[in-house]
């Protein structure tokens, strides 16, 4: 109680100082009153800071525009919110103190320091001070880094430096939030209470400006940290922090667990039984490193990461336009192009450049590109050759042919996909949980306002006369082919038809069939050429020289805003842009700079999150100063190494996979079981939807017919390789239940792929009739094992290897044999064994 009393007295004294201003003056609106509004939550997104405000009263979010807030207070509703003659009767104070009905409830007490700040300001005539003098230059928090013990309490101090050179202690008028309330809680006064071991970010906000402090809380008790040898630099960082936290790391996973884990994570496939036996028999000290290298060379690596990149890039978001773009044709081409670059191990910076600066012609003449379009679209048949042909292109123009891929919507996608930034809120107002302003987004969007979008936009033929002439020739060719087909049918075809009916000879029948095939071919070609022409006319990706109308603007409930300057994210300097220069090239050059704060960090963090289920910055697509990394030095070293290795993705994969951190067991030491972010053990996570379906196919020995022959799908494609959901009802159901994303360009969040578990997922595996059919299939895994092996112990082992990728323990083997003996038949018994294993956590989860 003594501590709390001292603390309350300190807060009160500071606030009373604020009532009189920093130098004995009256409280300033932009410096003190706006800060009180922020502290009380009045200008938050859930209250009057919402886009439309609350109950007719609107403030700018977190006091971003004090002058506008002041004008609304004084001039709206006839000025009834303030009573200059009797300040305590002001509606503003009556509602906040519960003296008048207020939907937001009571926010402060009469006579409290916050109350006195506002009352004194009203009594002084409610003036607006020079806003520029109170513009925040710097907010300093102490301690910025702090190590505390369980049960400790300490107070943050916030000091503001303003543009007029003045410095004030603003601790009492800041708002506070803990990033992890399980570790540390923080009250309205800035007092931190330590609750459990770990680390937490503490977000301190003065008006609209946020700053982060970090607290580290070691586990109490005797140090039990074992002697552990790091495998590489990753482990050095991880182990050092675990030691500071007094959290012992888990032991290494055994070989069979490692093999299953790394096979699923690198290739999306379970290891075969013979592969498991061979790995267990390998006694070489570097067998794990050798296996990692081998897996990274398998086709499954490129297939799995093509799937992940296509999720991030929204590769399936095509409508059916007048230009002929469609998901069925173009999503597989997109995915195959990405996969080809991964198979080549194209440096990541080049990979991104070949996407962001893509054009359809790639510097070639129209005739050369037109022939490519025709060849690719002719390849949309069985077997498909279009995907292979398209993958040979240098650039991915299909990225820009998706819905909403340019302008402001496209900028949101680019920032998310390549920079790990979430900018959606900045379309309307300052981002409530980040540092981005509306002008930041619009000025960055101007770099992507000059990319031609697909579809008929009116006047295409006049704007692009060369393409129009080319398409006119294609249409003329189509007309000639139609006439040729009609003539052939009317002359030769008619004659051969009569001859075949009269003679009924095999020779006449074959001659007629040959002509009919020729006619059909001519008609198909005549029908296809106008479709190809529409794509050439309306879907060419190219840079359009600057125009006055091609500026970034957004319309929202707050009005229409625009920017006419080019400015890169996080930069203060506007760039001059020559009219004929493609601005996208400058963006790529900026991304490739070694000191870029986002580019390398975004992909490094996402790759880390793939292997650990969480990013060093988590969520992995939310790079923000308000979302600090758990291991900043590790993230920096990974980024430096990635850049020094010329953006080699396989170097990054190897570094992570060879680390002890990745190879440790999922069984935590007793002292570390509460850890959720410092990698004291390998965290369980659910298998991705496509990987799970393929694992089910592998375990049961039954592949699914995707029923996509109409769309010329390759029958050998695995679920990981399919570019969009198939017509197979079971596969589609499983993909939906286990979180496959829709790849919607309107959703800028990695969380669109849902990794959460649900009861319905459990019931789907346990009760879906298709799962039981696969287990009982005549040519399935159980039937094959019964046919090949007469010994029941061997049969149990083979089923364990096919499902859990390990031999059974003695107790498991005996339990299974007992179950089989009690079953109606051996077949029924072993089917039951497989069903049981498929429904274990060990099968469903990565561990």
């Amino acid at each position: 109680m003594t501590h709390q009393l001292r603390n309350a007295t300190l807060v009160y004294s500071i606030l009373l100082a604020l009532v009189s201003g920093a130098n004995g003056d009256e409280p300033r609106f932009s410096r003190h009153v706006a800060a009180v509004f922020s502290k009380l939550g009045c200008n938050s997104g859930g209250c009057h800071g919402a886009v439309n405000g609350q109950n007719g009263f609107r403030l700018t979010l977190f006091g971003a525009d004090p002058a506008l807030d002041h004008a609304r207070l004084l001039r709206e509703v006839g000025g009834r919110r303030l009573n200059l003659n009797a300040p305590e009767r002001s509606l503003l104070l009556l509602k906040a103190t519960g003296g008048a009905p207020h939907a937001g409830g009571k926010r402060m007490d009469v006579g409290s320091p916050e109350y006195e700040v506002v009352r004194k300001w009203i009594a002084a005539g409610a003036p607006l001070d020079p806003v520029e003098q109170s513009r925040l230059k710097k907010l300093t928090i102490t301690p910025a880094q702090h190590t505390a013990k369980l049960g400790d309490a300490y107070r943050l101090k916030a000091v503001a430096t303003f543009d007029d050179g003045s410095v004030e202690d603003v601790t009492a008028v800041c708002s506070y939030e803990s990033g992890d309330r399980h570790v540390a809680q923080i009250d309205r006064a800035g007092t931190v209470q330590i609750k459990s071991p770990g680390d937490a970010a503490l977000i301190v906000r003065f008006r609209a400006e946020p700053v982060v402090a970090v607290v580290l809380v070691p586990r109490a008790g005797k140090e039990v940290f074992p002697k552990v040898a790091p495998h590489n630099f990753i482990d050095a960082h991880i182990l050092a922090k675990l030691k500071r936290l007094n959290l012992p790391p888990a032991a290494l996973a055994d070989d069979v667990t490692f093999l299953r884990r790394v096979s699923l994570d690198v290739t999306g496939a379970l290891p075969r039984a013979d592969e498991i036996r061979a790995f267990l028999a390998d006694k070489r000290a570097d067998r794990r490193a050798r296996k990692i290298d081998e897996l990274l060379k398998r086709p499954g690596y490129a297939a799995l990461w093509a799937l992940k990149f296509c999720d991030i890039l929204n590769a399936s978001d095509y409508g059916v336009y007048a230009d002929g773009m469609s998901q069925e044709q173009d999503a597989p081409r997109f995915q195959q192009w990405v996969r080809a670059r991964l198979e080549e191990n194209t440096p990541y910076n080049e990979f991104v450049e070949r996407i962001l600066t893509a054009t359809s012609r790639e510097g070639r003449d129209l005739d050369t590109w037109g022939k490519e379009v025709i060849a690719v679209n002719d390849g949309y048949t069985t077997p498909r050759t279009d995907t292979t042909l398209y993958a040979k292109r240098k650039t991915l123009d299909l990225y820009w042919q998706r819905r909403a891929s340019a302008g402001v919507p496209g900028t949101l996608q680019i920032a998310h996909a390549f920079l790990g930034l979430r900018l959606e809120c900045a379309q309307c107002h300052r981002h409530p949980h980040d540092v981005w302003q509306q002008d930041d987004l619009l000025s960055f969007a101007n770099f992507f306002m000059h990319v031609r979008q697909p579809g008929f936009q009116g006047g295409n033929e006049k704007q692009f006369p060369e393409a129009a002439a080319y398409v006119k020739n294609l249409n003329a060719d189509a007309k000639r082919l139609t006439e040729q087909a009609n003539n052939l049918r009317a002359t030769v075809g008619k004659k051969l038809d009569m001859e075949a009916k009269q003679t009924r000879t095999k020779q006449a029948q074959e001659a007629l069939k040959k002509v009919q095939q020729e006619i059909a071919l001519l008609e198909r070609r005549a029908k296809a050429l106008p479709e190809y022409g529409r794509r050439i006319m309306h879907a060419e990706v190219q840079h359009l020289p600057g125009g006055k109308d091609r500026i970034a603007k957004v319309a929202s409930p707050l009005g229409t805003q625009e920017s006419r300057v080019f400015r890169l994210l996080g930069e203060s300097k506007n760039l001059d842009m020559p009219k004929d220069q493609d601005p996208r090239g400058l963006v790529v050059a900026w991304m490739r700079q070694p000191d870029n704060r986002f580019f390398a960090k975004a992909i490094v963090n996402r790759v880390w999150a793939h292997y650990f289920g969480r990013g060093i910055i988590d969520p992995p697509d939310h790079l923000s100063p308000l979302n600090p990394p758990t291991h900043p030095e590790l993230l920096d070293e990974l980024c430096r190494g990635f850049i020094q290795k010329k953006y080699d993705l396989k170097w990054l994969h190897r570094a992570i996979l060879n680390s002890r951190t990745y190879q440790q067991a999922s069984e935590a030491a007793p002292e570390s079981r509460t850890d959720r972010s410092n990698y004291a053990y390998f965290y369980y996570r659910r298998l991705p939807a496509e990987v799970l379906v393929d694992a089910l196919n592998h375990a049961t020995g039954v592949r699914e017919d995707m029923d996509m022959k109409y769309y010329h799908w390759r029958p050998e494609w695995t679920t990981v390789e399919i570019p969009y959901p198939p017509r197979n009802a079971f596969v589609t159901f499983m993909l939906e239940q286990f979180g496959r994303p829709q790849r919607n360009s309107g959703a800028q969040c990695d969380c669109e792929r849902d990794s959460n578990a649900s009861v319905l997922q459990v019931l789907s595996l346990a009760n879906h009739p298709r799962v039981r059919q696969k287990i009982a299939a005549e040519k399935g895994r159980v039937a094959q094992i019964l046919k090949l092996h007469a010994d029941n112990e061997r049969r149990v082992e083979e089923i364990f290897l096919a499902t859990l990728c390990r031999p059974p323990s003695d107790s498991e083997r005996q339990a299974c044999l007992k179950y089989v003996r009690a079953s109606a038949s051996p077949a029924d018994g072993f089917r039951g064994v497989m069903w049981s294993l498929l429904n274990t956590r060990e099968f469903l989860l990565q561990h």
Side-chain angles (χ1 to χ4, degrees), residues 494-512:
K494 186 175 181 180
K495 178 181 177 182
L496 290 176
D497 184 47
M498 292 177 59
E499 184 178 334
K501 290 178 180 178
Q502 292 171 358
T503 63
R504 298 192 178 185
T505 63
K506 183 178 180 180
Q507 183 178 3
Q509 295 286 346
E510 289 179 350
L512 175 62

Side-chain angles (χ1 to χ4, degrees), residues 64 68 105 110 117 139 160 172 188 197 200 211 223 235 264 321 327 423 449 474 513 557 579 633 661 672 676 758 784:
L68 181 57
V110 174
V117 168
L139 182 63
R188 288 175 59 175
V211 175
E223 184 175 314
D235 302 322
L264 286 168
Y321 298 113
Q327 175 180 259
L423 303 181
M449 295 299 299
L474 287 182
K513 184 178 180 181
K579 183 178 179 181
E633 296 84 3
T661 305
S672 302
R676 294 293 181 270
S758 70
Q784 292 173 9

Side-chain angles (χ1 to χ4, degrees), residues 407-417 421-427 441 444-445 745-746 748:
V408 175
T411 302
L412 298 176
Q413 296 177 58
I414 289 166
H416 175 260
L421 301 175
R422 299 178 179 178
L423 303 181
E424 303 97 299
C425 292
Q427 291 177 93
L441 170 61
F444 187 54
S745 61
Q748 275 74 61

Side-chain angles (χ1 to χ4, degrees), residues 377-435:
N377 285 277
D378 280 345
Y380 181 57
T381 184
T382 302
R384 287 188 75 156
T385 59
D386 60 326
T387 54
T388 304
L389 287 171
Y390 186 83
K392 294 178 181 178
R393 282 180 50 88
K394 180 180 178 181
T395 65
L396 182 64
D397 66 340
L398 281 171
Y399 176 83
W400 296 99
Q401 291 170 345
R402 299 168 308 115
R403 267 190 282 236
S405 57
V408 175
T411 302
L412 298 176
Q413 296 177 58
I414 289 166
H416 175 260
F418 302 114
L419 303 174
L421 301 175
R422 299 178 179 178
L423 303 181
E424 303 97 299
C425 292
Q427 291 177 93
C428 299
H429 49 71
R430 180 196 173 96
H431 200 302
H433 305 297
D434 214 326
V435 298

Side-chain angles (χ1 to χ4, degrees), residues 696-757:
L696 186 62
N697 292 344
H698 167 90
T700 60
V702 178
R703 290 177 61 94
E704 289 293 326
D705 179 2
M706 299 298 181
D707 192 22
M708 297 296 282
K709 296 182 182 64
Y710 176 78
Y711 298 112
H712 314 295
W713 277 25
R714 297 175 182 174
E716 70 274 13
W717 276 352
T718 63
T719 316
V720 165
E721 294 175 293
I722 61 176
Y724 53 90
R727 295 167 67 179
N728 180 303
F730 170 69
V731 174
T732 300
F733 171 79
M734 293 294 284
L735 294 179
E736 289 176 353
Q737 295 307 316
F738 285 87
R740 187 188 195 276
Q742 295 296 313
R743 294 180 176 174
N744 179 2
S745 61
Q748 275 74 61
C749 184
D750 287 6
C751 60
E752 195 191 5
R753 176 173 287 278
D754 188 356
S755 61
N756 293 318

